[in-house]
Amino acid sequence: MKYQHLWQRLTPLYNPREAQAIIRLILEEEFNLSFADILIGKVNELSQEQRLKLEELIRRIESFEPVQYVLGKETFLGRSFHVRSGVLIPRPETEVLVEWVKEDCCTTACNLLDSNNIKILDIGTGSGCIAITLSLDIPHSNVTAWDISKEALLVAKENASALKGKVNFRLQDVFNVNVSERKWNVIISNPPYICCKEHTSMSDNVLKHEPHIALFVPDDDPLRFYRAIANIGKSALTKGGSLYFETNPLYINDIKNMLEDIGYTMIQYRNDQFDKQRFIKATLFL
């Protein structure tokens, strides 16, 4: 059982660099083998029971199951979040959006907020990675998180309990919301934004395993979630409150125009780590 043979099994699905990284991750997380251990051949010292487990994990990867589901976790801004099938896997891009909110809420750039009681709403929370991170990293924050998926909320609650994050989770459909008061200083969302026509450009490990409800929007209405959330914000954001979105870069200018039509101002963009214009912030003074 050699490292080279293990990662080469994955090359029909991944390029060699990705295949090597996946095998190293499995060996480190499940069998406590460092890269140095792998290089000196300690994979051969695994017990028969461990070898059987490793074989099972690799076969799951070979069936296009994402390594995050195989391991049952993903790291987001330095914390480990439990994930499983039916819950969207946290992405590195989303870390940039969360850092933007943290930066604004923890500096004088967000002086319109009451720093002693910043109220934040995360719409479409999934694993809870956004809401829990903000609750832990922004002092005195009061965080609420919505999702339409009971499965996602169950995982999010498990993550909040494990990480000791204080979040009020709620089963909520964004297309059926009755907002009675302006209570949130910040609304943040990474809603579904991939058009169905983009299926062909996506990998099977995403298409076959991640929840389509958290990924896709109709080709004829790519802004449907952004429009719904922006209208919620119009009634739910405090004066001077801000809305933060992760977007499909193909439609970010359309989102900007939609936000301006609704009444948002001070529109700002931010790029992701691949220099794509992916994030947008808008403020409401109505």
Side-chain angles (χ1 to χ4, degrees):
M1 182 177 287
K2 293 184 177 180
Y3 167 60
Q4 183 176 359
H5 294 157
L6 295 174
W7 67 256
Q8 284 178 343
R9 287 176 57 178
L10 303 184
T11 52
L13 286 72
Y14 299 95
N15 67 47
R17 193 170 182 177
E18 289 176 309
Q20 291 169 24
I22 289 170
I23 293 298
R24 288 200 305 270
L25 183 62
I26 289 173
L27 291 172
E28 178 181 351
E29 294 291 335
E30 291 295 323
F31 304 100
N32 200 31
L33 293 179
S34 68
F35 188 43
D37 291 332
I38 295 169
L39 292 178
I40 64 175
K42 285 198 173 183
V43 178
N44 287 316
E45 298 177 14
L46 294 177
S47 67
Q48 181 64 20
E49 182 180 352
Q50 289 174 319
R51 287 170 181 251
L52 291 173
K53 182 178 182 181
L54 177 58
E55 177 64 23
E56 177 193 351
L57 298 178
I58 292 176
R59 285 185 179 179
R60 289 173 64 183
I61 297 291
E62 288 176 322
S63 70
F64 294 99
E65 188 172 355
V67 66
Q68 294 90 344
Y69 290 157
V70 171
L71 296 175
K73 59 186 174 181
E74 175 62 311
T75 299
F76 186 83
L77 285 174
R79 296 185 178 95
S80 181
F81 286 81
H82 171 55
V83 292
R84 60 173 176 251
S85 182
V87 179
L88 192 69
I89 297 167
R91 264 47 176 199
E93 293 90 335
T94 309
E95 294 181 338
V96 178
L97 180 66
V98 172
E99 291 284 21
W100 192 2
V101 174
K102 287 168 54 179
E103 173 188 314
D104 282 355
C105 290
C106 295
T107 66
T108 55
C110 205
N111 57 13
L112 289 172
L113 300 182
D114 176 0
S115 60
N116 290 319
N117 191 19
I118 297 173
K119 292 184 174 65
I120 300 171
L121 173 62
D122 172 28
I123 297 181
T125 195
S127 66
C129 61
I130 291 176
I132 295 166
T133 300
L134 293 176
S135 75
L136 292 170
D137 291 351
I138 299 178
H140 311 296
S141 59
N142 184 324
V143 182
T144 298
W146 295 352
D147 206 288
I148 196 173
S149 166
K150 293 181 180 179
E151 176 70 15
L153 286 175
L154 181 61
V155 171
K157 289 176 181 179
E158 291 172 357
N159 282 322
S161 177
L163 294 168
K164 300 187 182 342
K166 294 182 179 180
V167 179
N168 175 29
F169 293 103
R170 178 177 163 188
L171 185 68
Q172 180 64 62
D173 181 353
V174 296
F175 298 105
N176 185 23
V177 178
N178 182 17
V179 179
S180 59
E181 61 176 318
R182 294 176 177 265
K183 62 183 296 185
W184 285 292
N185 308 111
V186 169
I187 294 177
I188 181 171
S189 184
N190 175 22
Y193 58 66
I194 302 171
C195 286
C196 294
K197 64 186 177 184
E198 298 178 72
H199 276 202
T200 55
S201 65
M202 299 180 70
S203 61
D204 283 343
N205 63 338
V206 174
L207 290 175
K208 290 184 176 182
H209 291 278
E210 295 203 61
H212 286 200
I213 193 174
L215 290 168
F216 296 110
V217 289
D219 292 340
D220 61 355
D221 192 11
L223 305 192
R224 70 189 308 257
F225 286 96
Y226 296 101
R227 190 181 306 108
I229 295 168
N231 280 316
I232 291 169
K234 190 173 180 181
S235 301
L237 279 170
T238 57
K239 185 176 181 180
S242 294
L243 181 62
Y244 296 78
F245 280 137
E246 180 171 332
T247 76
N248 184 333
L250 294 172
Y251 301 107
I252 195 166
N253 288 324
D254 294 328
I255 294 170
K256 173 182 179 291
N257 294 334
M258 178 270 295
L259 290 169
E260 289 177 333
D261 288 344
I262 290 176
Y264 289 86
T265 59
M266 298 176 63
I267 310 290
Q268 299 177 48
Y269 294 139
R270 188 163 288 195
N271 293 357
D272 64 18
Q273 66 269 48
F274 305 108
D275 209 31
K276 289 185 177 180
Q277 204 167 58
R278 185 174 298 276
F279 311 107
I280 190 166
K281 172 187 175 183
T283 302
L284 190 72
F285 287 103
L286 297 176

